[in-house]
Amino acid sequence: GAVVSQHPSWVICKSGTSVKIECRSLDFQATTMFWYRQFPKQSLMLMATSNEGSKATYEQGVEKDKFLINHASLTLSTLTVTSAHPEDSSFYICSPGARGHYEQYFGPGTRLTVT
Amino acid sequence: DAKTTQPNSMESNEEEPVHLPCNHSTISGTDYIHWYRQLPSQGPEYVIHGLTSNVNNRMASLAIAEDRKSSTLILHRATLRDAAVYYCILRPDSNYQLIWGAGTKLIIKP
């Protein structure tokens, strides 16, 4: 399967600061990137979908100005949580995709704690 | 709207087979049946997928009912490392997002 990395694996930040999470698809050309978040004991919730070189499409209820997604290349996508608040504390997971690839791969996740 | 129904949890003994059921009575003809699992504090992991015929891979087997309204993920010999939440998901195309339900929490007893 594809190798997907995320950095950092965990981060603690203060309320009001911004945090950038990197997702790298090491051996897979990700024309699409799905970003999820997962709160404790809950299932994954899709935040946004981005296609390489295009603006991301955000799910209802997800603020696009708060969660900035960049998908500038086929191997790298970033999610920036701006002006983070404690309620943004969650487990963020990226998932690269490409047409024709039915198996979906996932990053190991980034645990964000906002104090 | 996950479109699939799974038991909340199941228990099994180590080194015994495990059959994880999934109902998807509203499945359409183009929906693939996917299974993923998520170990604690990790991203999900692909397990297997199929359309109509039963499928086998190194991780598991997928048995699909003839009417495709249900399927069963089979772990042939469960180990403690198989303890995870297992998700059954329908997906019409590789360009579609995965819609995650609550999944089945599999508990393996030593």
Side-chain angles (χ1 to χ4, degrees):
Chain A
V3 178
V4 184
S5 70
Q6 279 185 241
H7 177 80
S9 55
W10 60 269
V11 57
I12 301 173
C13 71
K14 291 188 176 180
S15 189
T17 61
S18 295
V19 173
K20 180 185 281 189
I21 300 169
E22 284 189 357
C23 175
R24 291 184 184 274
S25 176
L26 301 178
D27 58 354
F28 180 80
Q29 306 245 299
T31 52
T32 301
M33 186 67 73
F34 300 99
W35 282 96
Y36 296 89
R37 63 182 168 186
Q38 186 175 32
F39 295 107
K41 299 192 185 300
Q42 293 186 24
S43 192
L44 278 74
M45 290 168 31
L46 182 68
M47 298 176 65
T49 304
S50 69
N51 293 308
E52 185 254 341
S54 303
K55 288 185 178 180
T57 301
Y58 291 80
E59 295 299 303
Q60 192 170 11
V62 178
E63 302 173 54
K64 62 181 174 66
D65 295 329
K66 181 174 181 60
F67 299 97
L68 304 179
I69 291 172
N70 183 287
H71 188 179
S73 79
L74 293 174
T75 59
L76 173 65
S77 177
T78 60
L79 167 67
T80 302
V81 184
T82 62
S83 186
H85 290 285
E87 56 265 32
D88 298 324
S89 298
S90 188
F91 192 51
Y92 291 86
I93 304 166
C94 66
S95 179
R99 184 172 286 282
H101 283 259
Y102 284 88
E103 302 170 24
Q104 197 69 33
Y105 300 101
F106 297 85
T110 296
R111 175 79 56 194
L112 170 64
T113 302
V114 184
T115 61
Chain B
D1 183 11
K3 302 194 296 184
T4 63
T5 305
Q6 299 177 253
N8 289 333
S9 66
M10 289 183 64
E11 285 190 5
S12 182
N13 295 318
E14 193 177 12
E15 298 189 4
E16 289 186 358
V18 180
H19 288 65
L20 295 165
C22 180
N23 286 321
H24 28 79
S25 58
T26 60
I27 190 170
S28 73
T30 56
D31 282 339
Y32 284 78
I33 302 161
H34 284 243
W35 283 84
Y36 291 81
R37 71 180 185 181
Q38 187 177 25
L39 279 65
S41 299
Q42 294 188 28
E45 175 186 27
Y46 168 82
V47 178
I48 200 166
H49 79 279
L51 184 61
T52 56
S53 304
N54 294 344
V55 185
N56 300 297
N57 66 20
R58 63 174 180 83
M59 288 182 70
S61 295
L62 175 60
I64 301 172
E66 199 168 330
D67 63 5
R68 300 208 330 123
K69 293 186 176 182
S70 65
S71 61
T72 302
L73 179 70
I74 303 165
L75 306 180
H76 295 287
R77 199 158 170 252
T79 69
L80 295 177
R81 289 175 296 178
D82 291 321
V85 179
Y86 286 78
Y87 297 93
C88 169
I89 302 171
L90 302 183
R91 192 183 199 189
D93 184 86
S94 61
N95 226 29
Y96 280 73
Q97 59 167 295
L98 295 168
I99 299 176
W100 301 78
T104 296
K105 182 175 183 178
L106 177 62
I107 299 165
I108 303 296
K109 297 181 288 185

